[in-house]
Amino acid sequence: MEVRKISLEDKNAFQRFEEAMLRDKQINPFVEWWETVNFENYVADSDSSEIKKDGQSWSTFTRYFAFDKGDILGMLICFWEIEHPDCQKLGHLGYMVAPAFRKQGVAFELVQYGLERYREKGISSIYIAMDEKNVASRKIAEKAGGRLLGTFDIDFQGRQLKSVRYEVEL
């Protein structure tokens, strides 16, 4: 498995990954994926996402993708502004794995990759948060050394959710 940023050469793999995630979103309440209108713009936005723009209210971030044999297995997103209010509430790290590649250790490997990126930046701890009913994701956070901080009521995209937050010491 290779973990790296997306490039224009990955268009076919990305389209297959996106189709799988959009199908899964119809039946899986934990999938957060929206159709990409323009792949080239998506890559350009990904390339510039680490730079804060004037008027930007969200944290800078980096998207990483896990590749194997021409397929995208999953995606990891690392938010870099540790004290940003959204990161404090929603976590600093998020991940998803395509349905065909779940239960194969991909999510844990992605999380480990992300934790190493935070260590490289000298960050001492991060939060990983998820819906309290997302048992699979909770197990990944715990396996990564996450310490449960509690359950919190949050407003996420206009919905009231119960979220659990873990702290991972780096």
Side-chain angles (χ1 to χ4, degrees):
M1 181 172 88
E2 174 191 20
V3 180
R4 61 176 172 79
K5 297 177 185 178
I6 195 95
S7 70
L8 292 174
E9 293 76 29
D10 300 319
K11 186 173 186 173
N12 291 335
F14 181 85
Q15 288 173 331
R16 290 190 305 274
F17 175 75
E18 179 172 73
E19 288 169 7
M21 297 313 297
L22 289 171
R23 277 192 310 274
D24 194 38
K25 182 178 181 175
Q26 294 174 6
I27 58 171
N28 185 341
F30 305 126
V31 172
E32 296 174 34
W33 190 271
W34 295 265
E35 186 172 3
T36 304
V37 177
N38 182 303
F39 178 72
E40 290 75 14
N41 287 347
Y42 183 87
V43 172
D45 289 345
S46 291
D47 287 344
S48 67
S49 64
E50 296 170 344
I51 301 165
K52 191 81 167 186
K53 297 163 190 70
D54 288 339
Q56 179 174 321
S57 62
W58 58 91
S59 172
T60 56
F61 63 91
T62 305
R63 288 184 191 119
Y64 300 101
F65 290 82
F67 289 86
D68 188 43
K69 298 177 185 149
D71 287 317
I72 294 176
L73 313 179
M75 185 188 85
L76 168 73
I77 188 166
C78 295
F79 294 95
W80 301 118
E81 295 176 40
I82 298 304
E83 299 301 324
H84 192 283
D86 288 345
C87 295
Q88 293 291 307
K89 178 174 72 169
L90 302 172
H92 300 101
L93 181 147
Y95 49 90
M96 63 180 69
V97 175
F101 303 106
R102 291 184 185 147
K103 297 184 180 182
Q104 298 175 35
V106 174
F108 183 71
E109 286 189 49
L110 281 169
V111 168
Q112 291 302 304
Y113 184 88
L115 296 177
E116 187 57 35
R117 303 295 72 79
Y118 285 106
R119 282 186 199 96
E120 290 172 356
K121 292 183 177 285
I123 295 167
S124 60
S125 69
I126 66 161
Y127 296 141
I128 303 176
M130 70 281 304
D131 186 291
E132 74 171 341
K133 295 177 186 168
N134 190 340
V135 174
S137 197
R138 292 180 73 162
K139 287 180 181 178
I140 296 295
E142 291 166 4
K143 185 176 178 182
R147 179 177 56 91
L148 180 63
L149 298 176
T151 303
F152 304 88
D153 293 319
I154 65 166
D155 177 36
F156 180 68
Q157 298 178 346
R159 298 180 299 160
Q160 292 298 311
L161 300 175
K162 292 242 184 246
S163 173
V164 291
R165 189 176 317 135
Y166 291 83
E167 182 176 30
V168 180
E169 298 285 336
L170 303 170

